[in-house]
Amino acid sequence: MKFSLLVVLKRIRSVTAFVLILAISSTMADPVPVSKSFSKFAIQLYQQCVAEKGGNVIISPFSVQSALSLALMGATGETAREMSSTMGYADPDRNAIAENFASLLSTYKDSPQLRIANKLYVQDKFHVKRQFNEIATKKFNSEAQSLNFADNVNSAKTINTWVEEKTNDKIKDLIPADALDSDTRMVLVNAIYFKGLWENKFKPENTKKLPFWTSKDKSVDVEMMYTKADFKFGVFGDLKATALEMSYKDSELSMLIILPNERDGLADLEKALGNKDLSDITKSMYKTEVIVHLPKFKIEYDIELKNVLSKMGMGTMFSNAAEFGDLLDEDEPLKVSKVIHKAFIEVNEEGAEAAAATGLKVRLKRSLVEGDRELFIVDHPCRFYLMAPKDHFSIFEGSLSDFPADSVSTHDEL
């Protein structure tokens, strides 16, 4: 999985703005419960992203919150209050939040599967305040580089090349050249790349074309994988869904899939998940032998988050009333002009990369039991998460609801 987030700060025409860009290519000490704040923020972010741009979705709440939290280190007044409140920080103390991120990032510092990187780009001849620079470099592991944003084509190329490198070329052209200009003062970028192999792999020879129901009465033929192994499994009556957790080899990370009982049950499931903490789900699951049918899929998703974050309660940072007085030595008013998020995930027999089999004509009901084995058949829309199970928060999450028309054949149920 790969993800990318970009935050752009530019001058507010006599005030200045910055661009925050986030790039993602798919336990910890807790002085402030930052990991706990992720859950609430992730739910709200996902819901608003779906409302803004539906279809197949893949986002990284972790990446978005990381980049916004770095920007928070330079915010003051009402801007800082809104950002802290929206991200769920009960205690908005900067040092405590920064210490927690330092601890969290150090957990994955040497992970062979998960790479997290931050980068700070500053307009030539402008200077980052010493305290902000120390927090950015020491707590958020952020590198800094000067650019001439007036030369927007070359500046965008420099930023995009860094993102491509950090996401194994899965996230390209994160920032368009026209997002930068002579008023741009700072760009914050976060990039995450994940590639994991299943602990229990799917054998390619067992993958077959089988139906995936995109609605109650319409299906498409997709590449459906098959395996039988011990997994964590759960049946949730309140969600009208079943869940499966699939571990990655030599990793503390796992993929959680939540499947509604009904073909058209995704909307109701997402509504129910709005009041559910992931830890309540994972703690109730048990290990058992499960027959799994899971489609191979690839999702690419990009979204400009200005409207999303404003609806969540962070509108001031985009306005001329924004307060980012602790970012630059120069006395220029700043505001956020763009928050761009791109994400990618590909799931196949080997595992998942994110930078992210019912061959039967009759429909198999979810959570039927075949002997002592559970059945988990992902033949209709579902939710999925790449999780850090020990800490009960998602690094990325999304929904699979459809397949590209040019890659499948379509059927109506008779």
Side-chain angles (χ1 to χ4, degrees):
M1 299 130 217
K2 294 90 183 169
F3 307 86
S4 237
L5 179 76
L6 167 74
V7 179
V8 180
L9 277 165
K10 286 190 175 177
R11 204 177 55 166
I12 305 170
R13 238 20 247 154
S14 64
V15 181
T16 329
F18 81 93
V19 183
L20 195 164
I21 301 170
L22 215 162
I24 307 133
S25 165
S26 139
T27 304
M28 312 154 201
D30 224 351
V32 167
V34 166
S35 60
K36 293 177 183 175
S37 77
F38 288 153
S39 180
K40 178 183 176 184
F41 180 77
I43 290 170
Q44 294 178 338
L45 182 69
Y46 176 83
Q47 289 174 336
Q48 290 295 338
C49 283
V50 169
E52 185 83 8
K53 184 181 179 181
N56 290 337
V57 176
I58 172 70
I59 61 171
S60 174
F62 175 77
S63 180
V64 175
Q65 189 159 350
S66 296
L68 290 173
S69 294
L70 179 55
L72 172 62
M73 299 299 110
T76 60
E78 180 64 13
T79 303
R81 189 201 66 76
E82 281 187 3
M83 294 177 74
S84 295
S85 176
T86 301
M87 287 189 280
Y89 298 142
D91 180 356
D93 180 72
R94 285 185 197 170
N95 291 328
I97 294 170
E99 286 293 340
N100 187 258
F101 265 98
S103 175
L104 189 153
L105 292 172
S106 70
T107 302
Y108 299 107
K109 183 179 180 181
D110 299 317
S111 170
Q113 295 93 6
L114 183 67
R115 299 201 301 264
I116 304 171
N118 292 297
K119 187 77 180 249
L120 185 66
Y121 295 94
V122 184
Q123 171 64 30
D124 280 344
K125 300 179 182 177
F126 282 78
H127 306 88
V128 176
K129 283 196 172 181
R130 182 183 61 80
Q131 184 179 13
F132 178 81
N133 189 53
E134 284 185 1
I135 291 175
T137 54
K138 294 180 181 179
K139 306 304 181 184
F140 287 81
N141 300 332
S142 179
E143 304 169 343
Q145 181 178 341
S146 294
L147 289 177
N148 177 17
F149 294 122
D151 182 4
N152 59 353
V153 173
N154 284 321
S155 292
K157 183 178 179 181
T158 297
I159 295 169
N160 289 332
T161 298
W162 181 86
V163 171
E164 288 171 20
E165 176 190 334
K166 296 301 180 182
T167 62
N168 202 32
D169 293 328
K170 297 301 180 183
I171 301 292
K172 295 181 181 291
D173 302 323
L174 175 63
I175 184 167
D178 61 10
L180 307 173
D181 57 33
S182 59
D183 287 334
T184 303
R185 292 294 175 263
M186 186 181 292
V187 173
L188 288 88
V189 188
N190 171 277
I192 300 178
Y193 174 79
F194 172 82
K195 184 170 184 176
L197 300 176
W198 300 122
E199 192 170 63
N200 296 296
K201 290 185 181 180
F202 296 83
K203 293 180 179 179
E205 59 267 29
N206 290 335
T207 298
K208 301 186 184 334
K209 283 273 189 181
L210 295 170
F212 180 94
W213 296 89
T214 56
S215 67
K216 202 159 192 172
D217 54 5
K218 289 187 181 297
S219 70
V220 295
D221 288 341
V222 302
E223 294 286 329
M224 190 74 74
M225 303 182 295
Y226 163 86
T227 193
K228 178 178 68 176
D230 286 344
F231 296 102
K232 288 188 71 175
F233 179 83
V235 179
F236 298 91
D238 57 334
L239 297 176
K240 297 180 182 177
T242 53
L244 184 79
E245 186 177 330
M246 305 172 66
S247 298
Y248 292 103
K249 187 178 181 181
D250 301 323
S251 174
E252 293 183 354
L253 303 177
S254 65
M255 177 172 279
L256 175 68
I257 302 172
I258 305 178
L259 184 70
N261 296 338
E262 301 299 325
R263 289 176 184 171
D264 57 352
L266 181 60
D268 288 340
L269 172 62
E270 290 181 333
K271 191 179 298 182
L273 286 171
N275 301 313
K276 196 89 168 174
D277 194 289
L278 285 183
S279 62
D280 294 334
I281 296 173
T282 55
K283 288 176 182 177
S284 301
M285 297 172 69
Y286 56 92
K287 200 146 192 178
T288 187
E289 189 174 53
V290 187
I291 293 174
V292 179
H293 297 266
L294 177 67
K296 295 169 64 171
F297 65 91
K298 182 191 294 187
I299 299 174
E300 296 180 67
Y301 186 80
D302 63 89
I303 186 169
E304 212 290 309
L305 291 173
K306 182 176 181 179
N307 288 340
V308 167
L309 295 173
S310 294
K311 289 175 182 177
M312 290 173 65
M314 286 196 211
T316 299
M317 71 179 185
F318 298 105
S319 74
N320 288 356
E323 301 162 279
F324 287 98
D326 289 345
L327 279 178
L328 299 176
D329 282 335
E330 289 73 18
D331 187 20
E332 275 199 328
L334 298 169
K335 70 177 179 181
V336 177
S337 62
K338 284 184 180 294
V339 179
I340 304 170
H341 186 50
K342 269 193 171 185
F344 165 96
I345 182 172
E346 182 172 9
V347 173
N348 58 31
E349 290 91 350
E350 292 291 312
E353 184 178 19
T358 27
L360 306 175
K361 296 296 180 183
V362 292
R363 180 178 171 224
L364 293 173
K365 291 184 180 290
R366 284 351 77 190
S367 77
L368 286 176
V369 178
E370 185 183 271
D372 293 328
R373 303 180 188 122
E374 303 285 357
L375 290 174
F376 192 81
I377 304 168
V378 185
D379 64 354
H380 59 271
C382 65
R383 286 292 308 274
F384 60 85
Y385 306 80
L386 175 67
M387 294 187 58
K390 190 187 294 185
D391 300 288
H392 310 293
F393 75 89
S394 62
I395 294 171
F396 84 91
E397 62 182 76
S399 57
L400 176 66
S401 58
D402 204 353
F403 285 81
D406 58 356
S407 66
V408 296
S409 53
T410 308
H411 307 282
D412 292 329
E413 187 172 36
L414 298 178

